[in-house]
Amino acid sequence: MIECSVCHSKIAPPASKSISRAYDKHRTFVSSKTRFLNVILVAGDCLLVGFQPILVYMSKVDGGFKYSPISVNFLIEVAKVIFAIVMLLFQSRHKKVGEKSLLSVSALVQAARNNVLLAVPALLYAINNYLKFIMQLYFNPATVKMLSNLKVLVIAILLKIIMKRKFSILQWEALALLLIGISINQLRSLPEGASSFGLPVATGAYLYTLIFVTVPSLASVFNEYALKSQFESSIYHQNLFLYGYGAMFNFLAILGIAIFKGPSSLDILQGHSKATMLLICNNAAQGILSSFFFKYADTILKKYSSTIATIFTGIASAVLFGHTLTINFVLGISVVIISMHQFFSSYSKVKDEQRSGNFKMVESIDSQRSRDASFPNMTDVSENASHHVNEEKGPLLPV
């Protein structure tokens, strides 16, 4: 017997299928208790993610950034660390009698040991946060949001490999529709003849898109795995270390830039404006919300909720900046909505539910067989004993 790293239930060790089924069972159990929380998470995520590329676009001056994107990322991580500390202080003040404080030295040391894996997604997020600004230099906000939806397919593949997740054929088809919708919107997204870093525009765009999609996908899957593998740990403990690692990596990047550009680059507030302050608050809230998604909901749900924000981003960028909502955008969004409906439709989950039901039935049958093997049927024992006595003593005489 082994213990599931997600739901901590005892399962048989045969292979990855058992782990996959245990994960599905855990996911169903959690979603049934937190359905209302999922709705709140999706609504908040749509609002925050929808505003993010718009705020980045507003912070540009003459097509570029007057501030260091890494300094913005560092301030975002610091803001999230402060939030985690405030929540831990709040929980410590309202702890029950005899309960250990979450800010005690022993609790922090134990949490640090249990959540050391969070350093991996923290490093990947630090790289991804810088890539967000680079992408904004070559794509308009609506296109950046659509390109980020490519992460859904990469995340699905990584979930299948790393967390042994299972998806039905209809769900894979839904992901294929998502790619088609994104491709429709991506057509002619950059002006002809433009270039970036000396590369042809098509080569540069595809290169940035590949990195922009792969890095955060790895970060999301590793983040969900790390958070769920220590499910009993306080999410604020986990946020403290996740964002603490992120702040450390961004600060190291700032020091590295200072070595090449001089001490003047250490001024992390240089070139900031009201738009960048709003951007910092928005991204900090978005990161905090994402941690609740990964621990209590699902990475696929997180990415699909971000997809909904595409509609808001496209309309808002058209109203605020005069960007045209092309027929490609409208058709692409339509296909994406169909993809979302198909992926979360009850018809696409029939096989998963049957598999879960079969898993429970197999568990019941296996447990019954093990009991039968350990304790023989008492009727058989009585018959065998009676037969043995009759053979020794002969036929019983009526009284």
Side-chain angles (χ1 to χ4, degrees):
M1 300 294 288
I2 61 175
E3 184 176 350
C4 177
S5 61
V6 176
C7 58
H8 302 289
S9 61
K10 298 294 183 179
I11 56 176
S16 60
K17 289 185 177 180
S18 298
I19 298 175
S20 169
R21 291 166 180 170
Y23 177 81
D24 291 338
K25 181 180 178 182
H26 168 78
R27 181 163 56 94
T28 302
F29 175 73
V30 171
S31 63
S32 65
K33 290 172 43 178
T34 60
R35 188 171 302 172
F36 178 73
L37 175 62
N38 289 347
V39 173
I40 298 299
L41 290 175
V42 170
D45 190 60
C46 289
L47 182 64
L48 295 173
V49 174
F51 268 118
Q52 194 268 340
I54 295 174
L55 293 174
V56 172
Y57 187 84
M58 291 173 61
S59 66
K60 289 194 294 186
V61 178
D62 298 328
F65 301 114
K66 296 298 183 181
Y67 57 88
S68 170
I70 296 179
S71 68
V72 171
N73 295 332
F74 173 72
L75 292 174
I76 290 171
E77 298 302 321
V78 170
K80 291 188 286 188
V81 168
I82 294 174
F83 175 81
I85 293 175
V86 170
M87 293 306 299
L88 287 172
L89 287 171
F90 178 80
Q91 286 190 339
S92 296
R93 291 184 61 181
H94 294 80
K95 66 183 181 67
K96 298 178 181 179
V97 178
E99 194 175 50
K100 182 186 295 185
S101 173
L102 295 177
L103 286 175
S104 64
V105 176
S106 59
L108 289 174
V109 170
Q110 185 63 36
R113 291 175 179 174
N114 294 340
N115 296 284
V116 67
L117 186 60
L118 289 171
V120 176
L123 175 60
L124 294 173
Y125 279 133
I127 298 172
N128 175 63
N129 290 335
Y130 180 73
L131 291 175
K132 288 181 181 179
F133 292 93
I134 296 297
M135 292 293 290
Q136 287 288 338
L137 292 175
Y138 305 103
F139 298 92
N140 62 53
T143 303
V144 169
K145 196 72 222 62
M146 287 296 291
L147 288 176
S148 67
N149 292 331
L150 284 166
K151 302 171 189 175
V152 176
L153 179 60
V154 180
I155 285 173
I157 296 174
L158 292 174
L159 285 173
K160 182 177 178 61
I161 296 174
I162 297 175
M163 299 189 69
K164 311 304 180 184
R165 286 285 304 278
K166 296 292 183 180
F167 300 100
S168 67
I169 295 177
L170 285 177
Q171 288 176 321
W172 284 114
E173 291 176 350
L175 295 177
L177 281 178
L178 179 62
L179 287 179
I180 294 173
I182 295 171
S183 300
I184 292 174
N185 182 73
Q186 190 179 357
L187 296 175
R188 299 185 64 179
S189 59
L190 289 176
E192 294 183 3
S195 61
S196 57
F197 290 94
L199 295 174
V201 64
T203 304
Y206 286 124
L207 178 61
Y208 293 137
T209 300
L210 177 63
I211 300 174
F212 182 66
V213 168
T214 304
V215 171
S217 299
L218 283 169
S220 297
V221 174
F222 273 112
N223 196 9
E224 180 177 352
Y225 180 82
L227 291 174
K228 280 191 167 73
S229 64
Q230 297 296 327
F231 200 80
E232 300 303 322
S233 297
S234 169
I235 189 171
Y236 301 115
H237 264 158
Q238 294 176 313
N239 284 347
L240 176 64
F241 294 106
L242 174 64
Y243 305 141
Y245 289 135
M248 180 184 66
F249 290 134
N250 282 285
F251 184 71
L252 291 176
I254 293 174
L255 291 179
I257 293 175
I259 294 175
F260 292 98
K261 292 186 176 182
S264 60
S265 61
L266 288 174
D267 185 5
I268 60 177
L269 298 179
Q270 181 180 1
H272 288 273
S273 62
K274 293 181 179 179
T276 58
M277 293 297 106
L278 290 174
L279 178 65
I280 290 171
C281 295
N282 179 276
N283 281 19
Q286 189 182 147
I288 294 168
L289 194 68
S290 296
S291 65
F292 284 88
F293 259 106
F294 295 138
K295 182 158 185 173
Y296 298 112
D298 187 81
T299 308
I300 295 291
L301 178 63
K302 169 67 176 72
K303 294 308 173 184
Y304 263 109
S305 72
S306 300
T307 304
I308 301 175
T310 304
I311 303 173
F312 174 80
T313 303
I315 296 174
S317 62
V319 173
L320 296 175
F321 312 120
H323 293 153
T324 304
L325 294 180
T326 63
I327 187 64
N328 287 359
F329 178 80
V330 176
L331 291 176
I333 286 296
S334 301
V335 176
V336 167
I337 293 176
I338 294 172
S339 167
M340 291 174 57
H341 178 267
Q342 180 174 337
F343 188 90
F344 293 105
S345 172
S346 58
Y347 293 103
S348 66
K349 300 180 181 180
V350 170
K351 292 185 177 180
D352 288 340
E353 292 174 358
Q354 289 178 349
R355 186 182 67 214
S356 178
N358 292 338
F359 179 50
K360 293 178 181 178
M361 184 178 296
V362 168
E363 284 185 325
S364 177
I365 294 174
D366 288 343
S367 60
Q368 181 64 38
R369 287 177 177 174
S370 63
R371 286 195 299 267
D372 291 344
S374 302
F375 304 99
N377 189 286
M378 296 307 296
T379 304
D380 295 339
V381 171
S382 300
E383 292 179 353
N384 292 337
S386 176
H387 180 69
H388 180 68
V389 170
N390 291 341
E391 286 182 346
E392 290 185 350
K393 298 184 177 180
L396 296 176
L397 299 176
V399 179

